[in-house]
Amino acid sequence: MRAYNHTLAAAMLAGTLLLAGCGADSTPVGIGTPTATLGASTPAVAETGEDNTKLDDAALKKSIQAAGRGVSTVRAIGDVQSHDGRQRIGYELRFDQSRRSYIGSMTVDGRTIELRRIGADLYLKAGADYWTATGKLADPSDAGRVHEKYVRIEAENSRFEDVTEIADYGSVATVVMDWGSTPMRRSEEMLDGRRMLVLTLPDPDDGDTRLYVPATGSPVPVRLLAPGPYTVDWSDPGKPVEITAPPAAATVALPPLNHETRPSAG
């Protein structure tokens, strides 16, 4: 998970600054902040299925990875905070993991952007203030043309890593496959009335990451706590989600960006 922590920390800081386009006086704003309380005395949920507590560490890791990869769709609610604690990015996305696709929104400092990723294509819709604040456009006057329109972007375009790197870690499959070593177990905790195995992925440079997995039943993770802090809550595994390209009438070509000589996609 070491590579994940470094990448995520960079994405959180860069994403906060680029998306917000604001200084140190920015007011934290986020969406989808998790409401479940760890250790709370909520009513216990009846536990059925496989007892994951009986698996040894290696078998548990393998089981979690298989379950995370095997989930076709999942809902992710994330909350990212900058290291200075002044800015937050919130998102709510529904993933089709088999297609590496998602649909939903992300909010920073009151600016909301809508996102649809379909494989290699990312469609982003935002107001002119987003485009002006981030300074991505080579010609700032293009902000009016893309205002509240879907812009088609190559999903691997490095100028939008502040969005895509954060969104990618909403995918439970991405997270469970990015472990560098076998995680360490901590004491069990309660989350929404369910017993959770708590696995720590230690990193002396970036700090520990914690993964919360049901003690019984399918071991698809339900929460990630990472340095930053960065929180993701997963729910609705396997629930159908429809992700389609936006209508052509609502889509415009991406104008030239700073540090580019041509548009990334049309």
Side-chain angles (χ1 to χ4, degrees):
M1 199 66 153
R2 181 180 299 273
Y4 157 68
N5 280 334
H6 284 295
T7 300
L8 183 56
M12 286 189 294
L13 180 59
T16 300
L17 297 177
L18 289 174
L19 277 170
C22 299
D25 294 331
S26 301
T27 302
V29 176
I31 63 171
T33 303
T35 57
T37 302
L38 297 176
S41 56
T42 53
V45 176
E47 297 181 351
T48 59
E50 182 179 356
D51 185 353
N52 299 315
T53 64
K54 295 182 178 180
L55 299 176
D56 63 33
D57 290 349
L60 179 61
K61 175 184 175 181
K62 183 177 180 179
S63 181
I64 293 171
Q65 288 181 322
R69 291 195 311 267
V71 171
S72 57
T73 60
V74 70
R75 177 191 184 205
I77 295 178
D79 188 62
V80 185
Q81 185 171 336
S82 61
H83 291 291
D84 61 11
R86 293 180 178 272
Q87 298 168 329
R88 290 169 69 178
I89 300 171
Y91 65 81
E92 181 171 352
L93 299 169
R94 292 185 177 273
F95 285 81
D96 180 338
Q97 298 193 148
S98 63
R99 300 168 61 199
R100 199 180 180 190
S101 302
Y102 51 75
I103 186 169
S105 62
M106 188 177 291
T107 299
V108 171
D109 290 335
R111 299 185 182 94
T112 298
I113 59 177
E114 295 183 27
L115 300 171
R116 297 189 192 190
R117 176 168 181 167
I118 304 174
D121 294 325
L122 175 69
Y123 296 89
L124 184 154
K125 184 172 81 169
D129 59 341
Y130 162 80
W131 295 100
T132 300
T134 58
K136 295 179 186 295
L137 301 179
D139 183 353
S141 67
D142 283 332
R145 184 165 67 84
V146 297
H147 173 69
E148 295 300 338
K149 295 286 188 179
Y150 284 99
V151 178
R152 182 178 172 223
I153 302 162
E154 293 173 357
E156 302 302 325
N157 188 319
S158 62
R159 295 290 287 119
F160 291 87
E161 286 180 349
D162 53 314
V163 174
T164 56
E165 286 192 355
I166 291 175
D168 281 347
Y169 276 92
S171 167
V172 67
T174 298
V175 170
V176 300
M177 289 307 297
D178 204 12
W179 291 352
S181 60
T182 300
M184 300 173 57
R185 299 196 201 195
R186 301 175 64 92
S187 299
E188 291 184 13
E189 297 185 30
M190 297 293 291
L191 178 61
D192 285 340
R194 300 179 67 188
R195 289 170 50 230
M196 293 288 149
L197 298 178
V198 183
L199 309 177
T200 298
L201 309 173
D203 189 312
D205 297 320
D206 296 316
D208 293 350
T209 295
R210 295 187 185 184
L211 198 66
Y212 293 78
V213 179
T216 61
S218 175
V220 176
V222 297
R223 172 172 280 192
L224 172 78
L225 297 181
Y230 184 106
T231 302
V232 185
D233 278 310
W234 291 290
S235 60
D236 298 338
K239 183 176 180 178
V241 58
E242 182 178 357
I243 306 174
T244 59
T251 306
V252 297
L254 177 66
L257 303 176
N258 280 324
H259 313 300
E260 289 188 345
T261 57
R262 61 179 177 80
S264 295

